[in-house]
Amino acid sequence: MFRTILLSLLAACLASSPLAAQEARWRHGSGLLEEPKYPPDFKHFDYVNPNAPKGGLVRLGAQGTFDSFNIVVAGVKGAPEQGLGLVYETLTTSSLDEPSASYGLLAESFSYPEDYSSVTFRLRPEARWHDGKPVTAEDVIFSFETLKENSPTYAFYYANVTKAEKVGEREVRFTFDEKGNRELPQIMGQLLVLPKHWWEGTAPDGRKRDITQTTLEPPLGSGPYRLKSFEAGRSATYERVKDYWGANLNVNVGQHNFDEIRNEYYRDATVLLEAFKGDRIDFRTENSARNWATGYDFPARREGRVILEEFPLRATGVMQAFVLNLRRDKFKDQRVRRALNLAFPYEEINKTIFSGQYERVSSYFHGLEIASSGLPEGQELAILESVRDKVPPQVFTTPYTNPVSDSPTAIRENLREADRLLREAGWELKDRRRVNAKGETLTIELLADSPNDERVFLPYKAALDRLGIVTSVRTVDDVQYVNRVRSFDFDVISSVWPESLSPGNEQREYWGSQAAQREGSRNLAGIADPGVDALIDRVIFAKDRAELVAATKALDRVLLAHDYMVPQWTYLKQRTARWDRFSHPETMPRYGGAAFPTIWWYDEAKAAKTGAPR
């Protein structure tokens, strides 16, 4: 009896101890705010063809160049080769028919406590690098430490991780400095895993490898493809790994079907399009409305050998805008910022340049159900009330709208209102120039990295010139542009922020005060506002989907009310062009867009009619 009582007391103590709270519940998958769709024993994702044939070549095109296969550091020409995602893998992977679910890839399972204060990953015993060595816990820790040390973006992204440690033969635990952040376990699942033994080894030429430097040595990975051949700066060809360790995993079945994937680089967008029309590229996503309307009228398209197809973008929202650098005094006054929006002739540009194909961005989460609209109510209103003293009062009374310039009368009225706001802000018009009380002229440089931008920048410049703002358009090369943006050395640039159905920690990087002055951050505008920070935290620490949606709408509404940017345009479908040599599953993933080439395959019958790639 006494022994039974002791055992009962011991069990009760253990049940209430921190150790018990950390008791592992190993998961095959997890949703951010909901249970995952697929059970532990699922065979494959619903949207793949599990019997898709393997084989064939697909040629993809990119504008720019590359000078490195080191994914950790950027090359002097801008970025490492884009196909490295085929070579390396992450601890988990996402499905394309759920808004925020992840499943084990390199990790067979993962666990985290109810307070989300840590996450532990258990690696698959069969996971192998292409040289046959196992993927280890040491590789995971090395990757985390290396990425955090050498990349400002990763350093910020992993800022909440206080410790990475090996806690078992194949287990790694990441401990966080805050509790309740549901996204942190998923963020760590997205960790790109690099081979420690390879990077700490010696290259064939006897040189010790250095992960902090660019390199053109073919990388060692664990993924479905390896680098087969390349021409520095011009092309890179990847071949499917025939004995790939993860080929039969349920998260991989029906995917990675091409024997070879080749990336071809072109310096000019016009040449890139002509390369596609000349059958040098098999598939491309078209981002130009003008090209989509007029650029594909050529024989192969008329003969049906080239197919144009649009795929809905249901999982990706967007904020695309002219970014006003708030670090510069001339943009600190909201009236000036609103005046710059009033001057933007969007409707004219959409009609004359974009053939009327676009819609204007009216939300930081444009295209998603989490975008704000109308006046706040319910839970969103309650959240805004909790920060009433930190947010603009108009968020409670006035829905955000962009100015409309769809007629000469509307344009004149907008410019009159812009003139009034500028005068209110202390910028008078003298000798056809906008000057302040100190006699300083209001000047704006629109910075571009491509001559194609000038067709939009120049009409905007003309409108700003009419207000007496001395405006210039400057186009610089890729390297200079990247360096200037990274160091926030600009007045106005054009940029874009993709948004998901489940926003979270990336919002700190986009709009948070801590990122505002950190060189290289994505807070390009330099937003540093306590109300915005408070609402970002409400998004991150939302307890359920309803609270996440309400908090995101509140954040969106406040960002819009400050007029930090001049919203541009978007198109909520992915426009694609392809030579008719490929097939895809009959049911496409709801949130995957085209998902090319991941779930597509080479179709021998179609290729016989169209002609094989050269």
Side-chain angles (χ1 to χ4, degrees):
M1 171 69 99
F2 182 70
R3 181 173 180 272
T4 302
I5 292 174
L6 280 177
L7 289 174
S8 298
L9 289 172
L10 179 60
C13 290
L14 288 174
S16 62
S17 71
L19 180 64
Q22 298 290 328
E23 186 67 29
R25 174 196 164 193
W26 291 101
R27 307 164 187 263
H28 75 289
S30 176
L32 186 61
L33 291 164
E34 63 282 318
E35 287 299 311
K37 169 184 175 179
Y38 294 95
D41 59 349
F42 78 98
K43 303 301 182 186
H44 56 78
F45 292 132
D46 291 345
Y47 51 81
V48 304
N49 174 6
N51 301 312
K54 306 291 186 184
L57 162 70
V58 60
R59 303 161 301 169
L60 305 174
Q63 185 176 352
T65 185
F66 70 93
D67 66 347
S68 178
F69 291 117
N70 182 0
I71 206 165
V72 175
V73 295
V76 296
K77 296 177 181 176
E81 208 285 309
Q82 64 177 11
L84 295 174
L86 301 168
V87 174
Y88 295 116
E89 293 179 300
T90 51
L91 293 166
T92 63
T93 187
S94 59
S95 66
L96 298 179
D97 57 354
E98 299 171 270
S100 61
S102 59
Y103 299 87
L105 181 55
L106 283 172
E108 65 179 5
S109 57
F110 49 95
S111 68
Y112 46 82
E114 291 184 2
D115 64 2
Y116 300 93
S117 59
S118 67
V119 62
T120 304
F121 295 93
R122 179 180 290 162
L123 295 172
R124 296 184 188 272
E126 68 271 30
R128 290 288 186 276
W129 299 106
H130 295 156
D131 63 1
K133 296 183 182 297
V135 179
T136 67
E138 287 78 10
D139 291 323
V140 176
I141 296 171
F142 166 79
S143 303
F144 164 74
E145 293 176 346
T146 299
L147 289 167
K148 189 172 182 178
E149 181 180 353
N150 293 284
S151 167
T153 298
Y154 281 112
F156 187 79
Y157 205 43
Y158 299 146
N160 295 112
V161 183
T162 60
K163 187 190 302 184
E165 58 183 329
K166 182 177 179 179
V167 294
E169 181 184 355
R170 292 180 286 108
E171 295 177 12
V172 177
R173 176 174 297 150
F174 298 97
T175 303
F176 309 132
D177 63 1
E178 61 184 13
K179 298 178 181 180
N181 190 330
R182 294 169 174 262
E183 196 180 22
L184 289 178
Q186 285 204 353
I187 285 175
M188 299 318 300
Q190 297 162 5
L191 176 70
L192 199 72
V193 181
L194 308 168
K196 179 181 180 181
H197 71 280
W198 189 84
W199 278 107
E200 292 183 345
T202 303
D205 62 2
R207 174 183 50 84
K208 184 171 175 56
R209 297 186 180 98
D210 184 352
I211 203 165
T212 68
Q213 301 297 316
T214 61
T215 179
L216 286 172
E217 182 183 0
L220 176 71
S222 64
Y225 289 86
R226 62 163 59 94
L227 182 66
K228 177 184 179 181
S229 60
F230 69 95
E231 258 188 280
R234 299 186 61 182
S235 69
T237 300
Y238 297 85
E239 62 179 354
R240 186 165 55 85
V241 178
K242 297 302 190 330
D243 59 351
Y244 167 48
W245 73 269
N248 296 319
L249 291 180
N250 49 15
V251 295
N252 284 331
V253 170
Q255 304 185 62
H256 316 307
N257 301 314
F258 293 96
D259 276 350
E260 290 190 5
I261 298 176
R262 182 184 305 159
N263 293 327
E264 299 276 359
Y265 285 81
Y266 297 84
R267 297 296 182 96
D268 184 84
T270 301
V271 176
L272 184 56
L273 175 58
E274 292 304 313
F276 172 81
K277 292 161 70 173
D279 198 10
R280 303 285 297 179
I281 296 169
D282 293 302
F283 181 100
R284 69 184 251 113
T285 295
E286 183 53 74
N287 296 318
S288 166
R290 179 178 60 183
N291 286 345
W292 191 249
T294 63
Y296 292 90
D297 183 18
F298 65 108
R301 173 27 190 342
R302 293 192 292 269
E303 295 163 2
R305 294 188 296 132
V306 165
I307 295 175
L308 304 188
E309 187 173 2
E310 295 182 327
F311 296 88
L313 296 173
R314 301 187 183 95
T316 304
V318 67
M319 165 48 79
Q320 179 171 314
F322 288 107
V323 184
L324 314 179
N325 190 350
L326 303 174
R327 303 168 188 85
R328 306 212 160 160
D329 289 339
K330 56 191 167 187
F331 298 127
K332 291 187 183 300
D333 193 309
Q334 182 180 357
R335 292 168 294 189
V336 173
R337 303 195 297 266
R338 183 65 179 179
L340 297 181
N341 194 347
L342 285 158
F344 180 49
Y346 164 72
E347 283 76 15
E348 177 187 346
I349 289 172
N350 189 36
K351 179 181 178 181
T352 59
I353 297 178
F354 300 142
S355 304
Q357 294 182 43
Y358 288 112
E359 59 184 69
R360 188 155 191 204
V361 170
S362 59
S363 165
Y364 280 70
F365 303 88
H366 191 88
L368 298 175
E369 64 178 29
I370 52 181
S372 62
S373 62
L375 289 174
E377 57 186 21
Q379 193 171 11
E380 180 194 355
L381 179 58
I383 290 171
L384 286 169
E385 289 285 3
S386 72
V387 291
R388 180 180 275 272
D389 61 331
K390 297 183 178 70
V391 302
Q394 65 264 34
V395 301
F396 297 96
T397 60
T398 310
Y400 176 86
T401 57
N402 284 309
V404 176
S405 56
D406 56 355
S407 69
T409 299
I411 292 173
R412 285 194 298 271
E413 290 177 353
N414 287 341
L415 290 177
R416 287 194 193 101
E417 176 63 8
D419 173 68
R420 184 188 70 80
L421 290 172
L422 289 169
R423 290 179 186 275
E424 260 188 32
W427 294 98
E428 295 288 344
L429 193 61
K430 293 183 180 179
D431 298 327
R432 303 179 68 177
R433 288 196 171 198
R434 198 64 63 169
V435 297
N436 62 14
K438 299 178 181 179
E440 298 168 333
T441 300
L442 180 55
T443 63
I444 292 178
E445 180 187 79
L446 303 173
L447 183 66
D449 64 346
S450 168
N452 286 336
D453 293 336
E454 294 175 8
R455 61 197 180 110
V456 172
F457 283 24
L458 290 174
Y460 193 19
K461 165 184 158 49
L464 295 174
D465 286 342
R466 290 177 65 183
L467 286 171
I469 300 172
V470 178
T471 310
S472 60
V473 176
R474 184 176 183 188
T475 303
V476 297
D477 61 45
D478 289 344
V479 175
Q480 187 176 355
Y481 184 83
V482 168
N483 289 335
R484 287 191 60 178
V485 171
R486 185 178 293 159
S487 61
F488 308 128
D489 179 20
F490 63 87
D491 283 343
V492 178
I493 59 171
S494 176
S495 194
V496 59
W497 290 262
E499 295 284 6
S500 74
L501 283 165
S502 298
N505 289 265
E506 77 287 343
Q507 302 302 306
R508 288 173 172 167
E509 172 75 359
Y510 289 176
W511 334 115
S513 296
Q514 290 186 3
Q517 300 302 328
R518 181 171 50 78
E519 193 168 296
S521 86
R522 286 290 294 146
N523 189 347
L524 300 175
I527 299 169
D529 181 83
V532 170
D533 290 339
L535 291 171
I536 289 174
D537 282 348
R538 288 299 299 264
V539 170
I540 291 172
F541 293 100
K543 299 296 191 299
D544 52 41
R545 181 71 187 174
E547 184 181 352
L548 175 71
V549 172
T552 304
K553 287 183 176 182
L555 172 63
D556 182 34
R557 195 180 299 277
V558 170
L559 287 168
L560 290 168
H562 282 290
D563 287 301
Y564 289 132
M565 304 184 190
V566 178
Q568 295 179 343
W569 52 85
T570 190
Y571 192 72
L572 298 177
K573 294 180 181 179
Q574 182 181 1
R575 296 176 290 218
T576 69
R578 69 180 186 270
W579 286 83
D580 191 20
R581 302 182 177 106
F582 316 102
S583 289
H584 61 71
E586 183 176 344
T587 301
M588 294 292 282
R590 177 170 179 78
Y591 300 121
F596 189 93
T598 308
I599 63 174
W600 294 58
W601 61 89
Y602 189 82
D603 192 313
E604 295 280 2
K606 290 181 178 180
K609 297 177 181 177
T610 300
R614 293 171 287 182

